[in-house]
Amino acid sequence: MKLFIATLSTETNTFSPMPTGLSGYEEYYLRHGTATQDPPILMTEALHVWRKKAEALGWEVIESLTAIAEPAGLTTASCYEAFKQEILSDLAAVGGADIILLQLHGAMVAEGVEDCEGDLCEAIRSNWPDATIGVSLDLHCHLTDTLMNVCDLIITFKEYPHDDASARAVELFDLAEKTRSGSIKPEMCMADCRMVELYLTKTGAMQEFVADMHVLEEKDRILSVSLAHGFPWGDVPDMSARSLVITDADAGLAQREADRLAQAFFAIREQVICQTIDLETALDKASQSERGPIVLADMGDNSGGGAPGDSTFVLKALLDRGLKNVATGIYWDPMVVRVCQDAGTGAELALRLGGKTCNDSGDPVDLTARVMHIASGLGQHLGKGLEPLGTMVWLQTGDDVDILVNDLRTQVYHPEAFEQMGISLACKSLVTVKSLFHFYAPFAQIAEDILQVATPGGTTPEFRTIAYKRRNKNYWPRIENPFL
């Protein structure tokens, strides 16, 4: 048995003015057939799982491209085409494969190609029509007809934050093996929930819904159940929450269960969405705390959703209020990092921080700060993986505000991003993190409270008014009942 594996992954914020070119992949993660020689990060966990399971069965494994970029704007046409052709060429060089497993994102958009995952898989199918093609997707994906038509198996992560990447990789491998052996005949069907929102799976009704999905998978002839949340800042026609059910040789059952899940999800829409507050209210609550730390999520500037990572709205509010005993980060500002590297640890500098990329970044903040520490080569844990942090700088103002700055766009995943730089969070009154949800579980272990704040920026969670042009307006919460 011959297994072919590859990864091509980025999440495209079509509203972002920052193109995603080759350098975006090079600075984050780019390997040509050697990714499983490195420790896993989130989007390479599947490759490690697939290689290990295949080799245990005595299969031949061909590993192709692994290309991952931090979310931003459209991937350039030349970059996408080069990656696509590399995967196709690698497949052709070995005469195709029996099973082709791909870890893709599902929300990648390139210049001239709205559905990169569908386009890539369609090209693979046209060249190798008899291969078993399985795809693992981030749950913030756009499920498209093209992808459904050309793949044998599609599975999304169930959890957000994504701590089940390896489990879903095992699931996909096992189903692909059974498909190839003829012991199952997968039938896939999906249904549109017509919802555009954010759904944290670790608490409340959303956690219960995920548990119900697992229960459904135990029923006769049900092979797999997924819920694609959709990526709200991807303005493409198929952007929406969608249910996906795979059955063994029963398309009717798959469609009925997908429809039922979509209706059940819509019925609890008010209960599963993320509850947010505005910045001033959040800072009022934080300033009244007697214990701490209060953790404030700067949701509008999450680089993991394609925002620049250099917005200053939160920082300016902190400084204007004169709040003390605060830690805040990570601010993406390569210029400030370079200045601090040149000046060295201990230097006291007048700096113009952030606010450089676009209107979503706000205005630069002028401040005087001391360079407390500089470090390169660090990482922060996201599940089993260790995500890179680039070069990090710890700045401290005279008002006891600790600021983390780096030169690699990345959101905050874990308290260790601060703590390995020397900033102890347990004694802080307030910690602000540029992230949506991925930080939630590890920070919940140290926080008095976590506040999800609807800050301005490139990933602001104001979905009623987001300016879609390609995606129609028939969705909740813009329309109370989009099924009428």
Side-chain angles (χ1 to χ4, degrees):
M1 190 74 71
K2 187 188 296 183
L3 172 67
F4 182 92
I5 59 177
T7 290
L8 177 55
S9 176
T10 191
E11 187 175 49
T12 303
N13 186 323
T14 59
F15 299 100
S16 170
M18 301 179 293
T20 304
L22 179 60
S23 63
Y25 293 89
E26 289 175 334
E27 70 178 2
Y28 200 84
Y29 195 92
L30 181 61
R31 303 287 187 273
H32 303 278
T34 61
T36 54
Q37 296 177 24
D38 298 334
I41 59 177
L42 174 63
M43 299 305 281
T44 70
E45 284 184 38
L47 301 181
H48 288 261
V49 168
W50 296 336
R51 176 175 284 281
K52 182 177 180 180
K53 288 180 71 67
E55 290 179 343
L57 294 170
W59 294 5
E60 179 185 357
V61 180
I62 299 95
E63 183 176 342
S64 180
L65 173 74
T66 300
I68 306 168
E70 184 75 357
L74 300 181
T75 291
T76 62
S78 59
C79 183
Y80 169 64
E81 187 62 26
F83 288 157
K84 174 184 172 182
Q85 292 305 319
E86 180 174 340
I87 292 172
L88 296 175
S89 295
D90 286 349
L91 257 173
V94 297
D98 300 298
I99 298 176
I100 299 168
L101 298 182
L102 306 175
Q103 174 66 70
L104 307 176
H105 189 283
M108 180 180 180
V109 184
E111 295 171 325
V113 183
E114 286 188 328
D115 176 15
C116 290
E117 291 82 3
D119 179 72
L120 172 62
C121 291
E122 188 174 46
I124 292 173
R125 175 62 73 197
S126 66
N127 284 282
W128 294 278
D130 298 326
T132 298
I133 301 175
V135 176
S136 175
L137 301 176
D138 187 298
L139 54 73
H140 295 115
C141 60
H142 312 306
L143 279 182
T144 67
D145 289 334
T146 298
L147 200 59
M148 293 283 291
N149 289 337
V150 299
C151 293
D152 296 288
L153 296 160
I154 301 171
I155 289 174
T156 76
F157 302 157
K158 284 184 172 66
E159 299 289 347
Y160 182 38
H162 313 316
D163 55 12
D164 64 335
S166 291
R168 301 287 73 76
V170 169
E171 179 184 353
L172 182 60
F173 183 96
D174 291 347
L175 290 178
E177 180 189 10
K178 292 176 182 177
T179 301
R180 194 66 189 176
S181 70
S183 62
I184 61 172
K185 183 182 178 182
E187 293 285 354
M188 296 195 299
C189 291
M190 66 176 176
D192 192 348
C193 306
R194 301 190 186 180
M195 294 166 61
V196 176
E197 258 288 355
L198 292 171
Y199 319 103
L200 176 63
T201 66
K202 300 304 183 185
T203 59
M206 193 65 218
Q207 186 178 43
E208 294 172 6
F209 190 84
V210 172
D212 289 342
M213 291 165 62
H214 284 290
V215 171
L216 178 58
E217 288 176 327
E218 298 174 3
K219 293 181 63 174
D220 186 43
R221 306 190 77 84
I222 304 290
L223 299 177
S224 178
V225 178
S226 296
L227 178 70
H229 293 197
F231 180 60
W233 301 282
D235 185 9
V236 295
D238 291 292
M239 194 283 294
S240 180
R242 290 181 172 178
S243 59
L244 169 64
V245 175
I246 307 176
T247 63
D248 184 11
D250 194 333
L253 175 63
Q255 191 63 68
R256 289 193 300 274
E257 289 296 341
D259 290 340
R260 185 186 64 78
L261 276 176
Q263 293 163 10
F265 193 56
F266 186 80
I268 59 171
R269 59 195 179 279
E270 295 284 1
Q271 301 168 48
V272 295
I273 62 174
C274 173
Q275 301 299 324
T276 64
I277 59 176
D278 64 81
L279 178 57
E280 293 304 317
T281 301
L283 292 177
D284 287 343
K285 291 187 67 173
S287 63
Q288 294 165 9
S289 170
E290 297 181 356
R291 292 188 296 126
I294 299 293
V295 177
L296 183 158
D298 182 1
M299 298 178 69
D301 195 35
N302 172 36
S303 64
D310 71 341
S311 85
T312 56
F313 302 106
V314 171
L315 179 60
K316 187 175 186 303
L318 295 174
L319 298 176
D320 286 348
R321 284 185 175 230
L323 296 178
K324 299 181 183 299
N325 197 26
V326 175
T328 181
I330 303 170
Y331 294 83
W332 177 59
D333 197 325
M335 294 172 64
V336 165
V337 170
R338 173 64 183 272
V339 169
C340 293
Q341 285 178 302
D342 289 345
T345 301
E348 187 167 316
L349 301 170
L351 299 167
R352 175 159 284 188
L353 177 62
K356 295 181 173 67
T357 304
C358 58
N359 287 338
D360 288 333
S361 303
D363 297 323
V365 170
D366 293 311
L367 52 81
T368 298
R370 183 177 298 278
V371 181
M372 304 298 293
H373 187 49
I374 303 172
S376 297
L378 302 177
Q380 56 178 335
H381 279 92
L382 175 59
K384 297 179 180 178
L386 194 65
E387 304 290 311
L389 284 165
T391 298
M392 299 274 285
V393 175
W394 169 18
L395 299 173
Q396 188 175 76
T397 72
D399 292 329
D400 194 22
V401 175
D402 293 315
I403 306 170
L404 273 188
V405 186
N406 76 348
D407 62 357
L408 177 67
R409 290 177 57 249
T410 185
Q411 63 182 299
V412 175
Y413 295 123
H414 198 284
E416 64 196 358
F418 291 85
E419 290 170 349
Q420 64 190 322
M421 288 294 291
I423 303 171
S424 176
L425 298 185
C427 61
K428 294 296 179 185
S429 299
L430 173 64
V431 179
T432 81
V433 295
K434 289 186 177 293
S435 190
L436 282 173
F437 288 140
H438 279 303
F439 74 96
Y440 194 94
F443 275 84
Q445 298 177 29
I446 66 168
E448 174 189 342
D449 196 6
I450 294 177
L451 306 177
Q452 303 285 162
V453 187
T455 50
T459 53
T460 185
E462 299 292 346
F463 302 121
R464 286 180 175 84
T465 57
I466 195 166
Y468 294 124
K469 295 181 180 179
R470 296 287 294 141
R471 199 257 183 262
N472 68 46
K473 307 300 193 298
N474 189 33
Y475 68 89
W476 183 87
R478 184 186 288 268
I479 295 174
E480 184 56 36
N481 190 346
F483 292 97
L484 293 178

